[in-house]
Structures are given as C-alpha cells and as structure tokens.
Amino acid sequence: MDWTKAKSILIVALLVTNLVLIATYLSQNNRFWDDEREMRDVTVKLLEEKNIFVETDIPEGHRRMPKLTVSYDKVDEETVQKQLAAQKSLPIRERSDENFIALAEAFIEACGLMTDTVTFDRVEHKEKETLVTYKNYINGIAIEDSSIVCTIRNGKITDFQRNWLKPVEINDIEKEVIPARAALIKFMSENTEEEKIYVEDISLVYWLDSSVFDAESPITDTAFPAWKITYNRGKIQHILAWEQ
C-alpha cells in the first residue's frame, strides 16, 4: 500500500469533515440569530400595539446568574464630618471634571469606604454645584439602590450621601435568566398607565425590593437578578429575571 498516498487521502478526508462541521455550525448559528431577530421584531410590534415604544436596543445575550446576599452598610457619620471639615478648596484653575473625580475618590478612600465594587458613574454639573456619583457593581452587574453622591461647591465636597448594599456572598447556584423581550412582555402585562410609554433602557441588575427591606437592620437579605426597565424620562420598573 502507498502509505504516503493513504495519509494524503486521510488528511483530505479530515479537512472535508471539519469543513462540513463548521458549515453546519454556522448554518445553525445563523438560524439562531434569524430566530432571535424574528422574536425581537414580533415583540416590538406587539408592544407598539399596546402603546409601548422601545427606543433602545433589546439585549439578546443573557447568562446564567446566581442570587446575591447583601446587607445594608452604614456610614460612620463622625468620620465623614471629620473629613468634610479637614478639606481645602481646589484652586479655581484646577476645577476640572478629572480633578473633581480625584477629589471624590480621595474622600471616599479617607472615609474607609472605597471597595472593589465602588464604580464611577458620572459627573453632573448644576447651577452652583457639581455632583460626582458612584454606583455599586459586582462582576459587571449593578446592585440597585446603591450609590455614593459627592456634592462639590467652591472646589470642595460639601455634602456626602451614601446608600449602600454590601455584597456578602454570591450563591453557588446559577439559574437561567429570562430573555429581555420576555421581561418586556411581562412589563406590558403589568402596565396600568394609559399614556404612551417610551422605553429608554433595559439592563440586568441585582435587585432587592426596598419596600420589604429594613435598612436599619443588620440582618442580611437576598438580591435577585432582575431586568431594569427605564421609561418615560427616568421611571423605573424591575422584572425578576430568574426563570421559575
């Protein structure tokens, strides 16, 4: 037997097999995305029939997520007041967004409140003050109702507000997350407003219903994955995202 020829035939056969497998995968993947696009279009049409208009992209990818154990983290007011009193104003020529952020971060650090989950969010300029806001993120997912807001006037921090849910433990069990379009349908079914609704943003978050959480209690509670739907200039509704 001509082993060189046989080896060449075998290599060609393997290459052909791989090409067939790749073509099959791509074909199935294309059908998947076609189905996703079709489901998205059907969802958008159904929502519009109910006067709900989606003005943002509907997230298509979603991952399995665990629940999160949290506790309300109180601020040492004495430390905060001490740091407020010890400040020096930034010179006028140094009052830039970059320096305001550095000022806020140094203040948070000095208060012993800087952690891995403290994440810069935005700088907002008002008539006589500037707000530097931080949010609470774990593994790229925001923890709702957690924020730090530093108010800067005349080059120094004059007010410090912190509402914070401290991550205690990430559960080992992960569950499937419902698609964003399913959350929109549930949002539609629960909607009681007669006016037109314009959906501005849809994002995955960890959410704890603050109406049933005692912020003054040291006891831990559970934050669950939820789709956060922002609409009509900042109104918010949360739809639990774990499949039941």
Side-chain angles (χ1 to χ4, degrees):
M1 177 182 290
D2 188 340
W3 287 107
T4 301
K5 184 177 181 180
K7 285 170 63 178
S8 297
I9 293 172
L10 181 59
I11 290 171
V12 170
L14 290 173
L15 287 173
V16 170
T17 300
N18 286 337
L19 288 172
V20 170
L21 291 173
I22 291 170
T24 301
Y25 169 79
L26 290 174
S27 175
Q28 291 176 343
N29 200 44
N30 286 337
R31 284 200 298 271
F32 169 77
W33 287 114
D34 287 343
D35 290 344
E36 283 285 309
R37 283 192 291 267
E38 184 177 351
M39 289 299 295
R40 179 199 61 200
D41 292 344
V42 169
T43 300
V44 169
K45 184 176 180 180
L46 177 60
L47 291 168
E48 289 179 350
E49 290 175 356
K50 300 295 183 181
N51 282 332
I52 299 175
F53 302 91
V54 181
E55 297 184 328
T56 185
D57 292 334
I58 300 176
E60 294 182 348
H62 51 87
R63 65 193 192 194
R64 294 171 65 88
M65 287 178 61
K67 62 185 179 181
L68 179 68
T69 302
V70 296
S71 65
Y72 185 74
D73 196 32
K74 295 183 178 181
V75 173
D76 184 340
E77 290 295 342
E78 185 177 342
T79 298
V80 171
Q81 292 303 318
K82 181 179 178 181
Q83 293 301 324
L84 286 173
Q87 293 179 95
K88 294 181 179 179
S89 298
L90 286 172
I92 293 176
R93 65 181 179 278
E94 296 180 14
R95 294 177 189 178
S96 63
D97 285 0
E98 182 179 359
N99 286 337
F100 285 155
I101 294 169
L103 178 66
E105 290 185 358
F107 188 89
I108 295 169
E109 187 75 49
C111 292
L113 300 173
M114 183 60 76
T115 67
D116 292 340
T117 66
V118 175
T119 305
F120 171 74
D121 182 50
R122 66 184 184 274
V123 173
E124 182 181 0
H125 296 284
K126 297 195 173 182
E127 185 177 352
K128 294 183 179 180
E129 62 190 23
T130 299
L131 306 182
V132 182
T133 301
Y134 292 81
K135 293 293 182 69
N136 195 2
Y137 278 80
I138 185 165
N139 296 333
I141 303 295
I143 303 173
E144 283 290 87
D145 300 320
S146 291
S147 65
I148 296 173
V149 181
C150 298
T151 301
I152 301 174
R153 298 188 187 96
N154 299 320
K156 65 179 180 179
I157 296 172
T158 57
D159 188 44
F160 181 79
Q161 297 295 324
R162 180 177 182 267
N163 295 300
W164 207 253
L165 291 175
K166 179 181 177 181
V168 176
E169 182 183 19
I170 299 176
N171 193 271
D172 292 334
I173 299 173
E174 294 183 344
K175 292 186 179 182
E176 292 290 342
V177 171
I178 65 171
R181 60 177 179 269
L184 283 167
I185 297 299
K186 187 168 175 49
F187 170 71
M188 178 190 72
S189 68
E190 295 178 354
N191 176 53
T192 58
E193 299 183 30
E194 295 183 1
E195 63 178 348
K196 289 183 178 180
I197 289 177
Y198 298 91
V199 176
E200 300 155 359
D201 187 64
I202 309 167
S203 59
L204 266 177
V205 298
Y206 280 110
W207 177 60
L208 171 61
D209 188 350
S210 58
S211 67
V212 296
F213 180 68
D214 182 4
E216 298 304 317
S217 172
I219 299 174
T220 60
D221 212 323
T222 304
F224 290 95
W227 285 105
K228 176 183 178 181
I229 299 175
T230 306
Y231 64 100
N232 289 14
R233 299 184 179 181
K235 291 184 179 180
I236 292 172
Q237 184 165 331
H238 295 92
I239 303 294
L240 288 175
W242 259 11
E243 287 191 348
Q244 300 300 314

